[in-house]
Amino acid sequence: MNFSIDFAQPWVLLLLPLALLPLLHRRRDALQFSSLNWLPADRPGRVIGILWRFSAMLAILATVLALAGPGRPETQVMRSGRGAEILLLMDRSRSMDLRMLPPDWRTLDPVIMTQQAWSRGPQKSQVARQLLAKFVAQRTDDRFALMFFSAAPMLVVPFTQHDEIVQAGITAGGVGRGLSETDVGAALLAAIGAFDQRAYSGSRIILLVSDGGAQLDAETRQRIQAGLLRNRIGLYWLYLRSINSPNLEAADASEAIPEIALHRFFQRLPTPYRAYQADEPEDLAKAVAEVGRQQNFPLDYAERIPRFDFSRYCLAVAAFACLMLLLYQAKQLRSWS
Amino acid sequence: MARWWSGGKLFSRGDRRSRMLTLALVLLLVALLAPPINLPRPTYDYVLVFDITQSMNVADYDLDGAPISRLDYARQAARTAMRELPCGSRIGWGAFAEYRTLLLLAPIEVCANYNDLLASLDQIDGRMRWGNASEINKGLFWAMRAAKEVGHDTQIAFLSDGQEAPPLNSVGLTLFDDLKRGELHGWIVGVGGTVAQPIPKIDRDGKPAGFWRAEDVVQGNRDSANAGAERNQEHLSGLREAHLKAMAEQVGFEYARLTDVASLGKALFDARFAVRHATPTDLSWLPASIALLILVFTFRPDLRPRRKRKVVTINKSGYAA
């Protein structure tokens, strides 16, 4: 805790000498009297006089200070909380513009369903946006970073404690059409790299929000595995399933399908991995809540304490001094007649 | 014994000084207790779209004596502009490559998020590039679409050197059907020097790989714009101001050239593009200043020096203080 003070309008302090005004001799209140020696000594009166000057100086001083806007500058305090460092890795490829698999998909004719892939139900990118926004809003203790990816990874928001900018990035993630290409491998490597040179201070998660898989080459797979291990990162895949997307858990699915291949690779990782696939937004919300429950390990973080303004206190002091002056006025003899 | 004169006529309550002090007290209490008032203040909502295509890597600016690339200089200009934006203004980022503008960050309030915005701005560079083409005209249209989708009268500042790759053969493209000229406000900011320079080639890992050569790039057809040249020089890049101005004219934007780091700010803070947001404004300084004036007036010293005389103040009970 430090006690430094700064001023919003430091130049106003130039007016501080005005507080000396009440010390200057003034004639206006003086009464004429034939001989001062005739007046009896008045100790309480002298004290009151000193108090009067003091109150007057205080009133001016406090008002000037209030106008200068004193305050304790923004500080950071280290705290220990429960939470995680979560990097949101958001797919911005064209396929994210497809619709979610409708809840009643089992009852639909497959041909009709395929036709509806672009038109019926909520867009996957919108669903992802809403879910992530809610997720970030609920997990206030976590530190988030946001990375988009298509052909190249795009780190949009480096790790931060402040949700507002993360939310702005998530909002942007739902604007406009997706890009044509996807490179999950490069994206994962960049996401892992975002944890490099960061002190390990709590559980780390990469939350991959994507609808597509990839056949990664051996070298990329090896680098991803080593990176996750090195930086001790858990991987969570929020798999947005649409019409024509395979079911990750299907036992008989072939690894020739990119999504299945990616899922199986993740499963073989020595680091924690979970996949959340859902056919409808409600299920996805459950999955997000589960990520939240599972990653509640202690996390050291710096809490920002916003600037605290003392102006109001100064105004209160000034008002009190004015009140004292008024009381004094009521007691003072102003004229002989 | 000393009370013989205390029955004198008193003006203790109604006199002028009491009235002044009462007024000062009331004003101080107003300053103390009045809540912030929502006042419409001129603010700006911008999405800054950075061209991150390879020609933006040409280092034809200099900053503090060192050569600096067009993109880095544009970001430096954005930092400078951010410092001057009035609180309540909102700013967001977009990036342009290939034929698309991708919104990276929806506009957010600039003062509360200043440090985070700077950290985010630092990340915008060529490594984000998702394609090597540079179809600026389409990119501008996409930027307009994004701003429209964001809403709130969001305006655009599109920072580019104007180098289309592959080059456009016709004068320009027709505006997308869902956009209308003048529907959005904004700026096209021309970045780069006028002398055409070779374009550094950067590989996928962000490492320099020499320069683009004439045979590496699509040179396009000879058209009127290049009529004077022996052959097209699309592997060299200079600021294509004519093209940028024509695009600005087409969509109803203004054009400005980035000549120094302050020029972006100057363009953005155009009163015509200000949005008046109701911003909670603390006006307590106003009654407090008046109270100070009154206090200073009340305790002003005598202007004319008088004969020296011993002065005492006397309270009601008749004692000298």
Side-chain angles (χ1 to χ4, degrees):
Chain A
M1 214 55 227
N2 65 17
F3 292 95
S4 59
I5 282 192
D6 66 355
F7 291 92
Q9 313 285 341
W11 59 269
V12 179
L13 295 177
L14 291 174
L15 299 177
L16 275 180
L18 287 176
L20 297 175
L21 284 181
L23 288 182
L24 299 176
H25 282 273
R26 28 185 295 127
R27 213 114 311 225
R28 225 167 291 119
D29 305 324
L31 302 180
Q32 303 246 354
F33 195 66
S34 48
S35 169
L36 286 175
N37 293 334
W38 286 14
L39 290 174
D42 177 17
R43 188 182 286 265
R46 192 165 292 132
V47 172
I48 289 173
I50 292 169
L51 280 180
W52 177 85
R53 288 224 159 102
F54 178 73
S55 300
M57 288 173 70
L58 189 63
I60 295 177
L61 186 79
T63 312
V64 171
L65 279 180
L67 285 170
R72 191 186 56 219
E74 182 184 296
T75 48
Q76 288 203 335
V77 179
M78 289 307 292
R79 292 196 196 284
S80 264
R82 302 193 84 74
E85 289 189 326
I86 303 176
L87 186 137
L88 309 170
L89 185 57
M90 202 172 169
D91 191 343
R92 289 201 72 174
S93 65
R94 190 82 178 92
S95 60
M96 291 289 281
D97 299 341
L98 283 166
R99 309 295 160 145
M100 291 292 291
L101 190 62
D104 56 349
W105 64 276
R106 284 182 182 84
T107 64
L108 294 176
D109 185 279
V111 179
I112 297 173
M113 216 165 70
T114 316
Q115 288 165 352
Q116 290 175 338
W118 290 96
S119 59
R120 189 163 174 272
Q123 260 183 356
K124 284 193 280 190
S125 57
Q126 296 303 326
V127 170
R129 192 185 89 172
Q130 284 157 17
L131 277 169
L132 287 178
K134 224 158 112 190
F135 181 62
V136 171
Q138 281 168 359
R139 298 188 56 84
T140 47
D141 284 348
D142 293 339
R143 254 180 302 211
F144 285 99
L146 178 67
M147 186 182 275
F148 295 149
F149 71 99
S150 71
M154 298 169 241
L155 182 58
V156 173
V157 182
F159 276 104
T160 176
Q161 188 83 40
H162 309 133
D163 291 353
E164 201 179 336
I165 191 157
V166 183
Q167 295 286 10
I170 293 171
T171 304
V175 170
R177 279 212 322 240
L179 301 167
S180 50
E181 287 169 70
T182 326
D183 186 342
V184 181
L188 279 170
L189 287 173
I192 291 165
F195 287 95
D196 289 345
Q197 277 115 38
R198 282 184 69 77
Y200 188 85
S201 63
S203 39
R204 294 170 160 187
I205 301 172
I206 291 174
L207 182 61
L208 171 65
V209 185
S210 172
D211 62 344
Q215 304 282 1
L216 302 175
D217 58 44
E219 193 213 329
T220 311
R221 282 205 298 259
Q222 203 276 323
R223 282 171 66 194
I224 290 172
Q225 178 168 336
L228 289 172
L229 210 55
R230 184 182 67 238
N231 286 341
R232 292 189 273 173
I233 306 169
L235 179 64
Y236 293 81
W237 185 8
L238 202 61
Y239 174 62
L240 301 161
R241 195 170 165 214
S242 60
I243 296 158
N244 301 338
S245 303
N247 181 349
L248 291 185
E249 303 299 340
D252 58 341
S254 150
E255 285 212 22
I257 304 169
E259 286 80 0
I260 302 293
L262 193 64
H263 178 58
R264 301 259 165 92
F265 161 61
F266 288 160
Q267 281 180 320
R268 286 194 297 269
L269 288 171
T271 46
Y273 166 66
R274 280 189 80 94
Y276 300 95
Q277 64 168 340
D279 301 344
E280 52 189 290
E282 290 75 21
D283 288 353
L284 284 174
K286 275 182 221 150
V288 167
E290 202 181 327
V291 174
R293 268 198 304 283
Q294 287 185 352
Q295 292 294 343
N296 268 323
F297 297 117
L299 172 82
D300 295 331
Y301 63 94
E303 187 180 296
R304 189 173 61 157
I305 305 200
R307 185 176 189 277
F308 188 82
D309 195 274
F310 296 131
S311 300
R312 306 255 147 187
Y313 293 126
C314 294
L315 286 171
V317 169
F320 175 75
C322 269
L323 191 66
M324 295 311 290
L325 286 169
L326 272 171
L327 287 176
Y328 174 83
Q329 285 297 112
K331 289 279 173 199
Q332 193 191 22
L333 179 71
R334 309 307 306 277
S335 164
W336 295 124
S337 52
Chain B
M1 165 200 154
R3 289 169 185 268
W4 56 272
W5 45 268
S6 66
K9 209 170 167 188
L10 300 178
F11 292 94
S12 54
R13 282 177 205 283
D15 72 0
R16 184 173 160 155
R17 187 190 274 189
S18 296
R19 281 200 301 272
M20 296 296 257
L21 285 172
T22 311
L23 189 57
L25 176 62
V26 169
L27 285 167
L28 286 170
L29 288 176
V30 168
L32 182 62
L33 302 172
I37 299 166
N38 277 321
L39 282 187
R41 278 202 293 187
T43 54
Y44 300 85
D45 282 8
Y46 275 106
V47 170
L48 265 54
V49 180
F50 296 90
D51 182 341
I52 55 170
T53 58
Q54 301 216 10
S55 59
M56 291 294 281
N57 289 325
V58 175
D60 54 4
Y61 277 104
D62 73 53
L63 187 70
D64 304 328
I68 179 172
S69 76
R70 293 171 188 172
L71 179 58
D72 288 342
Y73 199 75
R75 291 193 305 175
Q76 188 58 37
R79 285 185 202 105
T80 311
M82 261 175 67
R83 275 201 294 274
E84 289 157 20
L85 272 170
C87 288
S89 299
R90 299 189 308 162
I91 201 160
W93 315 126
F96 158 76
E98 205 179 14
Y99 67 96
R100 281 288 311 275
T101 289
L102 195 70
L103 187 66
L104 297 175
L105 194 71
I108 48 170
E109 205 277 326
V110 73
C111 290
N113 299 290
Y114 185 75
N115 288 327
D116 288 306
L117 278 167
L118 281 183
S120 175
L121 178 62
D122 287 345
Q123 301 296 329
I124 300 175
D125 62 27
R127 283 172 303 173
M128 286 186 171
R129 195 163 37 237
W130 52 87
N132 273 337
S134 171
E135 300 177 45
I136 297 171
N137 218 333
K138 282 187 198 162
L140 177 66
F141 298 163
W142 275 103
M144 293 169 72
R145 277 186 173 167
K148 242 177 103 171
E149 205 173 327
V150 169
H152 305 293
D153 291 325
T154 301
Q155 292 151 24
I156 298 166
F158 194 92
L159 297 104
S160 172
D161 56 15
Q163 176 140 8
E164 298 267 359
L168 287 175
N169 288 327
S170 59
V171 181
L173 300 171
T174 43
L175 196 57
F176 290 162
D177 288 344
D178 53 332
L179 298 169
K180 283 200 297 286
R181 183 185 190 277
E183 181 181 20
L184 290 150
H185 296 295
W187 288 86
I188 291 180
V189 180
V191 186
T194 44
V195 181
Q197 307 248 13
I199 304 167
K201 204 169 176 175
I202 308 258
D203 67 13
R204 275 297 281 273
D205 300 324
K207 295 187 191 72
F211 291 90
W212 289 91
R213 289 169 305 170
E215 57 270 32
D216 292 339
V217 302
V218 183
Q219 293 289 357
N221 296 333
R222 297 279 309 281
D223 59 24
S224 53
N226 287 308
E230 189 66 19
R231 49 190 273 258
N232 283 355
Q233 301 280 328
E234 289 298 326
H235 59 296
L236 299 180
S237 168
L239 175 60
R240 310 269 170 108
E241 231 172 356
H243 179 46
L244 292 173
K245 280 179 177 161
M247 283 197 305
E249 171 58 29
Q250 181 189 18
V251 298
F253 280 16
E254 307 287 318
Y255 175 80
R257 193 180 157 201
L258 195 66
T259 48
D260 58 86
V261 283
S263 45
L264 177 63
K266 270 185 220 140
L268 296 189
F269 311 140
D270 188 317
R272 286 173 297 166
F273 300 118
V275 190
R276 300 193 85 82
H277 277 309
T279 317
T281 314
D282 186 7
L283 289 180
S284 62
W285 62 271
L286 194 63
S289 314
I290 301 173
L292 180 64
L293 280 176
I294 291 171
L295 288 172
V296 167
F297 179 78
T298 310
F299 298 113
R300 73 193 184 283
D302 298 322
L303 290 178
R304 271 175 294 130
R306 293 207 192 161
R307 280 179 296 144
K308 227 182 161 72
R309 214 190 283 184
K310 187 166 182 198
V311 173
V312 292
T313 49
I314 297 172
N315 63 21
K316 266 186 193 168
S317 50
Y319 293 95

mmCIF file of all heavy atoms in Angstrom, chain B residues 267-290:
data_model
loop_
_atom_site.group_PDB
_atom_site.id
_atom_site.type_symbol
_atom_site.label_atom_id
_atom_site.label_comp_id
_atom_site.label_asym_id
_atom_site.label_seq_id
_atom_site.Cartn_x
_atom_site.Cartn_y
_atom_site.Cartn_z
ATOM 1 N N ALA B 267 -6.914 14.452 -38.336
ATOM 2 C CA ALA B 267 -8.007 14.050 -39.221
ATOM 3 C C ALA B 267 -9.186 13.520 -38.414
ATOM 4 O O ALA B 267 -10.331 13.903 -38.646
ATOM 5 C CB ALA B 267 -7.515 12.989 -40.201
ATOM 6 N N LEU B 268 -8.890 12.672 -37.420
ATOM 7 C CA LEU B 268 -9.983 12.007 -36.696
ATOM 8 C C LEU B 268 -10.848 12.991 -35.917
ATOM 9 O O LEU B 268 -12.059 12.842 -35.842
ATOM 10 C CB LEU B 268 -9.422 10.961 -35.726
ATOM 11 C CG LEU B 268 -8.676 9.783 -36.329
ATOM 12 C CD1 LEU B 268 -8.386 8.739 -35.266
ATOM 13 C CD2 LEU B 268 -9.447 9.145 -37.479
ATOM 14 N N PHE B 269 -10.191 14.000 -35.309
ATOM 15 C CA PHE B 269 -10.967 14.903 -34.454
ATOM 16 C C PHE B 269 -11.589 16.011 -35.268
ATOM 17 O O PHE B 269 -11.445 17.181 -34.969
ATOM 18 C CB PHE B 269 -10.115 15.480 -33.332
ATOM 19 C CG PHE B 269 -9.362 14.426 -32.613
ATOM 20 C CD1 PHE B 269 -8.066 14.619 -32.205
ATOM 21 C CD2 PHE B 269 -9.959 13.210 -32.360
ATOM 22 C CE1 PHE B 269 -7.373 13.615 -31.552
ATOM 23 C CE2 PHE B 269 -9.274 12.204 -31.719
ATOM 24 C CZ PHE B 269 -7.981 12.409 -31.311
ATOM 25 N N ASP B 270 -12.253 15.634 -36.294
ATOM 26 C CA ASP B 270 -12.961 16.589 -37.117
ATOM 27 C C ASP B 270 -14.344 16.745 -36.496
ATOM 28 O O ASP B 270 -15.065 15.769 -36.311
ATOM 29 C CB ASP B 270 -13.060 16.014 -38.534
ATOM 30 C CG ASP B 270 -13.613 17.016 -39.502
ATOM 31 O OD1 ASP B 270 -14.591 17.700 -39.146
ATOM 32 O OD2 ASP B 270 -13.079 17.117 -40.618
ATOM 33 N N ALA B 271 -14.684 17.989 -36.158
ATOM 34 C CA ALA B 271 -15.948 18.237 -35.448
ATOM 35 C C ALA B 271 -17.145 17.649 -36.197
ATOM 36 O O ALA B 271 -18.132 17.249 -35.589
ATOM 37 C CB ALA B 271 -16.135 19.727 -35.237
ATOM 38 N N ARG B 272 -17.013 17.556 -37.518
ATOM 39 C CA ARG B 272 -18.139 17.003 -38.288
ATOM 40 C C ARG B 272 -18.410 15.549 -37.940
ATOM 41 O O ARG B 272 -19.506 15.039 -38.131
ATOM 42 C CB ARG B 272 -17.827 17.081 -39.785
ATOM 43 C CG ARG B 272 -17.913 18.465 -40.375
ATOM 44 C CD ARG B 272 -17.432 18.444 -41.802
ATOM 45 N NE ARG B 272 -16.014 18.061 -41.860
ATOM 46 C CZ ARG B 272 -15.409 17.704 -42.989
ATOM 47 N NH1 ARG B 272 -16.061 17.623 -44.104
ATOM 48 N NH2 ARG B 272 -14.117 17.381 -42.963
ATOM 49 N N PHE B 273 -17.357 14.855 -37.466
ATOM 50 C CA PHE B 273 -17.523 13.426 -37.200
ATOM 51 C C PHE B 273 -17.734 13.135 -35.725
ATOM 52 O O PHE B 273 -17.748 11.997 -35.318
ATOM 53 C CB PHE B 273 -16.314 12.655 -37.719
ATOM 54 C CG PHE B 273 -16.112 12.826 -39.195
ATOM 55 C CD1 PHE B 273 -14.964 13.412 -39.691
ATOM 56 C CD2 PHE B 273 -17.098 12.429 -40.076
ATOM 57 C CE1 PHE B 273 -14.795 13.584 -41.047
ATOM 58 C CE2 PHE B 273 -16.934 12.603 -41.431
ATOM 59 C CZ PHE B 273 -15.779 13.179 -41.922
ATOM 60 N N ALA B 274 -17.866 14.173 -34.931
ATOM 61 C CA ALA B 274 -18.065 13.971 -33.498
ATOM 62 C C ALA B 274 -19.466 13.425 -33.246
ATOM 63 O O ALA B 274 -20.421 13.779 -33.928
ATOM 64 C CB ALA B 274 -17.871 15.276 -32.754
ATOM 65 N N VAL B 275 -19.553 12.532 -32.298
ATOM 66 C CA VAL B 275 -20.842 12.010 -31.852
ATOM 67 C C VAL B 275 -21.063 12.594 -30.474
ATOM 68 O O VAL B 275 -20.152 12.617 -29.652
ATOM 69 C CB VAL B 275 -20.804 10.472 -31.732
ATOM 70 C CG1 VAL B 275 -22.211 9.930 -31.514
ATOM 71 C CG2 VAL B 275 -20.176 9.864 -32.962
ATOM 72 N N ARG B 276 -22.249 13.105 -30.233
ATOM 73 C CA ARG B 276 -22.492 13.666 -28.909
ATOM 74 C C ARG B 276 -23.106 12.599 -28.017
ATOM 75 O O ARG B 276 -24.275 12.296 -28.112
ATOM 76 C CB ARG B 276 -23.376 14.903 -29.004
ATOM 77 C CG ARG B 276 -22.737 16.001 -29.856
ATOM 78 C CD ARG B 276 -23.433 17.319 -29.713
ATOM 79 N NE ARG B 276 -22.958 18.079 -28.580
ATOM 80 C CZ ARG B 276 -21.861 18.829 -28.593
ATOM 81 N NH1 ARG B 276 -21.129 18.909 -29.660
ATOM 82 N NH2 ARG B 276 -21.510 19.501 -27.531
ATOM 83 N N HIS B 277 -22.242 12.019 -27.178
ATOM 84 C CA HIS B 277 -22.694 11.019 -26.221
ATOM 85 C C HIS B 277 -23.009 11.707 -24.909
ATOM 86 O O HIS B 277 -22.268 12.575 -24.491
ATOM 87 C CB HIS B 277 -21.579 10.010 -25.933
ATOM 88 C CG HIS B 277 -21.495 8.924 -26.947
ATOM 89 N ND1 HIS B 277 -22.594 8.184 -27.328
ATOM 90 C CD2 HIS B 277 -20.458 8.444 -27.657
ATOM 91 C CE1 HIS B 277 -22.206 7.304 -28.234
ATOM 92 N NE2 HIS B 277 -20.923 7.448 -28.461
ATOM 93 N N ALA B 278 -24.053 11.292 -24.250
ATOM 94 C CA ALA B 278 -24.291 11.769 -22.898
ATOM 95 C C ALA B 278 -23.263 11.092 -21.996
ATOM 96 O O ALA B 278 -23.260 9.882 -21.849
ATOM 97 C CB ALA B 278 -25.697 11.436 -22.449
ATOM 98 N N THR B 279 -22.364 11.887 -21.460
ATOM 99 C CA THR B 279 -21.294 11.339 -20.638
ATOM 100 C C THR B 279 -21.478 11.855 -19.214
ATOM 101 O O THR B 279 -21.685 13.045 -19.028
ATOM 102 C CB THR B 279 -19.937 11.826 -21.182
ATOM 103 O OG1 THR B 279 -19.965 11.724 -22.599
ATOM 104 C CG2 THR B 279 -18.802 11.001 -20.627
ATOM 105 N N PRO B 280 -21.424 10.984 -18.215
ATOM 106 C CA PRO B 280 -21.543 11.475 -16.838
ATOM 107 C C PRO B 280 -20.404 12.449 -16.557
ATOM 108 O O PRO B 280 -19.241 12.094 -16.689
ATOM 109 C CB PRO B 280 -21.416 10.216 -15.980
ATOM 110 C CG PRO B 280 -21.519 9.073 -16.909
ATOM 111 C CD PRO B 280 -21.214 9.549 -18.279
ATOM 112 N N THR B 281 -20.743 13.656 -16.233
ATOM 113 C CA THR B 281 -19.748 14.698 -16.064
ATOM 114 C C THR B 281 -19.842 15.242 -14.648
ATOM 115 O O THR B 281 -20.919 15.616 -14.194
ATOM 116 C CB THR B 281 -20.016 15.833 -17.066
ATOM 117 O OG1 THR B 281 -20.267 15.260 -18.338
ATOM 118 C CG2 THR B 281 -18.831 16.773 -17.156
ATOM 119 N N ASP B 282 -18.718 15.283 -13.966
ATOM 120 C CA ASP B 282 -18.701 15.820 -12.614
ATOM 121 C C ASP B 282 -18.547 17.332 -12.709
ATOM 122 O O ASP B 282 -17.520 17.833 -13.142
ATOM 123 C CB ASP B 282 -17.542 15.206 -11.831
ATOM 124 C CG ASP B 282 -17.581 15.622 -10.373
ATOM 125 O OD1 ASP B 282 -18.576 16.266 -9.975
ATOM 126 O OD2 ASP B 282 -16.631 15.306 -9.644
ATOM 127 N N LEU B 283 -19.577 18.030 -12.329
ATOM 128 C CA LEU B 283 -19.548 19.485 -12.440
ATOM 129 C C LEU B 283 -19.304 20.154 -11.095
ATOM 130 O O LEU B 283 -19.511 21.356 -10.949
ATOM 131 C CB LEU B 283 -20.868 19.987 -13.035
ATOM 132 C CG LEU B 283 -21.066 19.674 -14.512
ATOM 133 C CD1 LEU B 283 -22.392 20.203 -14.982
ATOM 134 C CD2 LEU B 283 -19.948 20.274 -15.341
ATOM 135 N N SER B 284 -18.854 19.386 -10.098
ATOM 136 C CA SER B 284 -18.729 19.973 -8.770
ATOM 137 C C SER B 284 -17.703 21.109 -8.745
ATOM 138 O O SER B 284 -17.734 21.954 -7.862
ATOM 139 C CB SER B 284 -18.351 18.902 -7.748
ATOM 140 O OG SER B 284 -17.102 18.362 -8.093
ATOM 141 N N TRP B 285 -16.806 21.143 -9.728
ATOM 142 C CA TRP B 285 -15.822 22.236 -9.769
ATOM 143 C C TRP B 285 -16.501 23.589 -9.931
ATOM 144 O O TRP B 285 -15.980 24.607 -9.494
ATOM 145 C CB TRP B 285 -14.826 22.028 -10.905
ATOM 146 C CG TRP B 285 -15.459 22.017 -12.267
ATOM 147 C CD1 TRP B 285 -15.961 20.941 -12.931
ATOM 148 C CD2 TRP B 285 -15.691 23.144 -13.116
ATOM 149 N NE1 TRP B 285 -16.490 21.317 -14.133
ATOM 150 C CE2 TRP B 285 -16.329 22.668 -14.276
ATOM 151 C CE3 TRP B 285 -15.423 24.507 -13.011
ATOM 152 C CZ2 TRP B 285 -16.710 23.504 -15.316
ATOM 153 C CZ3 TRP B 285 -15.801 25.343 -14.061
ATOM 154 C CH2 TRP B 285 -16.432 24.841 -15.202
ATOM 155 N N LEU B 286 -17.681 23.578 -10.535
ATOM 156 C CA LEU B 286 -18.320 24.864 -10.834
ATOM 157 C C LEU B 286 -18.798 25.561 -9.555
ATOM 158 O O LEU B 286 -18.354 26.681 -9.270
ATOM 159 C CB LEU B 286 -19.462 24.628 -11.823
ATOM 160 C CG LEU B 286 -20.019 25.858 -12.500
ATOM 161 C CD1 LEU B 286 -18.966 26.534 -13.364
ATOM 162 C CD2 LEU B 286 -21.217 25.484 -13.366
ATOM 163 N N PRO B 287 -19.670 24.921 -8.745
ATOM 164 C CA PRO B 287 -20.048 25.577 -7.479
ATOM 165 C C PRO B 287 -18.843 25.783 -6.559
ATOM 166 O O PRO B 287 -18.768 26.805 -5.871
ATOM 167 C CB PRO B 287 -21.056 24.612 -6.852
ATOM 168 C CG PRO B 287 -20.955 23.348 -7.606
ATOM 169 C CD PRO B 287 -20.421 23.685 -8.962
ATOM 170 N N ALA B 288 -17.881 24.840 -6.591
ATOM 171 C CA ALA B 288 -16.714 24.980 -5.717
ATOM 172 C C ALA B 288 -15.890 26.203 -6.106
ATOM 173 O O ALA B 288 -15.405 26.934 -5.242
ATOM 174 C CB ALA B 288 -15.863 23.714 -5.771
ATOM 175 N N SER B 289 -15.747 26.446 -7.414
ATOM 176 C CA SER B 289 -14.990 27.625 -7.846
ATOM 177 C C SER B 289 -15.689 28.911 -7.413
ATOM 178 O O SER B 289 -15.044 29.865 -6.973
ATOM 179 C CB SER B 289 -14.836 27.668 -9.363
ATOM 180 O OG SER B 289 -14.460 26.438 -9.845
ATOM 181 N N ILE B 290 -17.016 28.931 -7.554
ATOM 182 C CA ILE B 290 -17.752 30.129 -7.141
ATOM 183 C C ILE B 290 -17.591 30.338 -5.638
ATOM 184 O O ILE B 290 -17.365 31.456 -5.173
ATOM 185 C CB ILE B 290 -19.242 30.021 -7.532
ATOM 186 C CG1 ILE B 290 -19.362 29.831 -9.049
ATOM 187 C CG2 ILE B 290 -20.003 31.266 -7.095
ATOM 188 C CD1 ILE B 290 -20.756 29.540 -9.521
#
